[in-house]
Amino acid sequence: MPDRHHGDLGIEAFSLDGVAYQCYAAEEPLSVHDCYEKQRDKLTTDLGKLRSNKNDMGQLLGKVVLHRYVLLVHRNDSRQLISHASKKSSEVVDWGLPFVHPQFKIVIETDDDYAAEREVLHSIPTPLVEPPEISDDHRAAWAEENPDLRNTAYAKLEKIRTSPGTIDAVIESLTKQYLKGENTLERLRSASPEVHRGVISARAQREELLALEYPPGLNDTQGKLAEISKEFANALRTDFPMLSNSTASMLSWSAVADWLMRCPLDFEAAS
């Protein structure tokens, strides 16, 4: 359900066989009780939108009659949430909405209820996410449009007394990996939004720890760059088996390039 124009009416999606879906992930860390309360309140609020927006919802659904409402949460640790869903099921039926079936039920689910679908997702053929080739013209055009990013990486590599020719070659290679990574992420966004979000999240989490695990003053800088890339590639392959080895490696080097150009990966000047 698009939500940028007058909201989503309280549901994430619906199927033509009469199932409405709403997703909610409360911001952690939370105790079991606090998580339950946030999930309970979310369910209550969004169900209320079925009634307050009944005219718009009726027009949206057309002839579809809802017999099932799925609240998809990141974890379900309280039986009280299930009890609350049962109570609200009866209340919604009592509202007498024309698009709600008399046997309407609310269920609480997590991604564990979609294990088979998750396996199908992970088995998406790799050609759907194979990195596109980047031409020298494309790389050169990007470097010309983003001189500050290139200069930042150059200044960091210059600290380790690498020759200018070597720095240029490394930056050209990193730029190519960076562009291939960004283009591959765009393909993933269409082919598998779940994996796309996961890779972006994993990269952000890795970045947060980067300055702690690899602070300025590294010895064997080139070896450390390769180690950082290899560690991240292995993590991506473990978490997202549908990524090929080459794609995971390319995405990891793309992240290294991004961290060099924008973020906390830096070196101490050689003495």
Side-chain angles (χ1 to χ4, degrees):
M1 287 287 294
D3 62 359
R4 297 181 64 182
H5 190 202
H6 302 308
D8 60 11
L9 302 181
I11 60 174
E12 202 84 36
F14 71 92
S15 62
L16 297 180
D17 60 350
V19 182
Y21 297 88
Q22 182 61 301
C23 303
Y24 179 61
E27 187 173 350
E28 298 282 8
L30 290 170
S31 67
V32 171
H33 178 74
D34 289 344
C35 185
Y36 153 70
E37 287 195 332
K38 287 183 176 293
Q39 292 170 339
R40 177 201 64 195
D41 294 347
K42 172 67 173 176
L43 179 60
T44 299
T45 298
D46 285 340
L47 287 172
K49 294 178 182 179
L50 295 178
R51 181 164 60 172
S52 61
N53 298 307
K54 62 181 180 180
N55 292 332
D56 289 337
M57 184 63 73
Q59 292 177 6
L60 176 73
L61 295 173
K63 295 183 179 180
V64 173
V65 175
L66 300 178
H67 63 86
R68 184 180 174 92
Y69 184 105
V70 176
L71 177 64
L72 185 63
V73 294
H74 68 301
R75 63 184 176 103
N76 178 19
D77 299 326
S78 174
R79 60 178 174 78
Q80 293 184 49
L81 184 61
I82 299 173
S83 298
H84 182 68
S86 297
K87 176 183 175 183
K88 298 303 292 187
S89 297
S90 299
E91 287 185 16
V92 172
V93 171
D94 289 342
W95 292 343
L97 300 173
F99 49 81
V100 172
H101 194 276
Q103 300 300 318
F104 178 82
K105 295 295 180 184
I106 301 168
V107 296
I108 312 299
E109 295 182 343
T110 69
D111 64 346
D112 289 337
D113 293 287
Y114 298 88
E117 289 80 1
R118 187 168 54 215
E119 289 302 315
V120 170
L121 178 65
H122 286 164
S123 68
I124 293 176
T126 54
L128 289 178
V129 292
E130 280 298 309
E133 288 301 319
I134 302 296
S135 68
D136 290 339
D137 289 342
H138 185 185
R139 176 185 49 75
W142 183 91
E144 185 175 347
E145 294 172 0
N146 298 273
D148 291 345
L149 297 178
R150 187 185 189 282
N151 291 341
T152 297
Y154 192 100
K156 290 179 179 180
L157 293 172
E158 199 173 29
K159 293 179 182 179
I160 59 176
R161 292 187 176 179
T162 305
S163 67
T166 300
I167 294 176
D168 286 334
V170 170
I171 288 181
E172 285 184 7
S173 180
L174 285 173
T175 299
K176 191 170 186 178
Q177 292 300 307
Y178 172 76
L179 294 175
K180 290 175 74 173
E182 292 300 296
N183 288 346
T184 299
L185 285 174
E186 283 301 310
R187 290 189 176 189
L188 267 178
R189 187 196 300 272
S190 299
S192 177
E194 179 184 355
V195 173
H196 173 267
R197 288 192 296 269
V199 172
I200 293 296
S201 176
R203 190 163 84 169
Q205 292 174 10
R206 191 72 184 87
E207 180 184 317
E208 290 179 358
L209 299 175
L210 201 61
L212 295 175
E213 296 179 0
Y214 297 94
L218 299 175
N219 295 319
D220 184 20
T221 298
Q222 291 182 339
K224 290 298 183 183
L225 287 179
E227 179 182 325
I228 292 169
S229 176
K230 184 177 180 181
E231 287 179 353
F232 188 44
N234 288 339
L236 290 178
R237 284 288 292 141
T238 299
D239 293 340
F240 309 105
M242 51 87 70
L243 295 178
S244 66
N245 288 331
S246 61
T247 298
S249 178
M250 178 273 303
L251 287 172
S252 67
W253 276 112
S254 175
V256 168
D258 181 71
W259 295 330
L260 274 175
M261 292 187 291
R262 305 175 192 268
C263 299
L265 186 55
D266 201 355
F267 314 121
E268 188 174 80
S271 58

